[in-house]
Amino acid sequence: MSENRGDDLSLRPRVVNSLVQPLMTDLYQITMCYAYWKAGKRAEMSVFDLFFRRNPFGGEYTIFAGLEQCLAYLLEFKISQSDIEYLQTVLPAGTDPEFFTYLAEMDASQVELHAIPEGSVVFPRVPLIRVHGPLPVVQLMETTLLTLVNYASLIATNAARFRQAAGPEARLLEFGLRRAQGPDGGVSASKYCYMGGFDSTSNVLAGKHFGIPIAGTHAHAFVSSYQSLDGVAGRTLAACEPRLVPVRDWSCPAGEL
């Protein structure tokens, strides 16, 4: 599948996390880019394949995820002036000043991305994404594309394994935000759990951004805030989905709330 640079902005993927930018990479990617530039390879075209070596969890398959964010990253790829100023402080003092001009003018206009459809079942050593473009540019993209695909595919594959174990009729609610790997880990995990087969998420922001159905129960704090049933204004729960949640009256022996 080739990335389509159409003019309809409503169809363009967008980066959800502002940290997804050119400097979200390893230092050696930048120093290699400098070496290519010094060697006159700035216009040399190259092809990078993104693949993995083993299925996660000792399983037999992987769910490919993260492609949409990779496309958004390419579409918005631009090294900012503040990025340039920072690199001038950390790269060796003898770095050719013209290299920073080259970085400031760099974009992804000559880069082509081909990929299998996101959400596909994939297997080790089969390319998921192929990136074709000027060698220094695609080299800078390597780490970012890997981090966008690896975590997403891990979460989607784990969700698919839950769905496989639970069967097609079970309702699966993703509730992992409070234990996720930071804010983006939480939001992106909700997205990729849904892709992997979950029905809904407790994560309200993920629901807003990605159109995922949201659902939830209540916390222990809610129950412990009541000392007895006398504090409960209404003791009858009306089902919003009668087929799944029957209406019932709550009662319990005194002292057991």
Side-chain angles (χ1 to χ4, degrees), residues 18-68:
S18 62
L19 294 177
V20 179
Q21 54 181 285
L23 288 200
M24 192 179 78
T25 189
D26 296 303
L27 175 61
Y28 70 79
Q29 304 285 16
I30 298 172
T31 56
M32 285 190 290
C33 179
Y34 180 59
Y36 295 146
W37 181 82
K38 290 290 285 185
K41 291 177 174 287
R42 69 192 73 179
E44 183 175 312
M45 303 301 282
S46 64
V47 175
F48 279 55
D49 285 342
L50 188 154
F51 64 94
F52 62 97
R53 293 183 175 86
R54 292 184 301 275
N55 289 312
F57 314 112
E60 300 298 325
Y61 64 89
T62 295
I63 303 299
F64 168 46
L67 175 60
E68 182 181 25

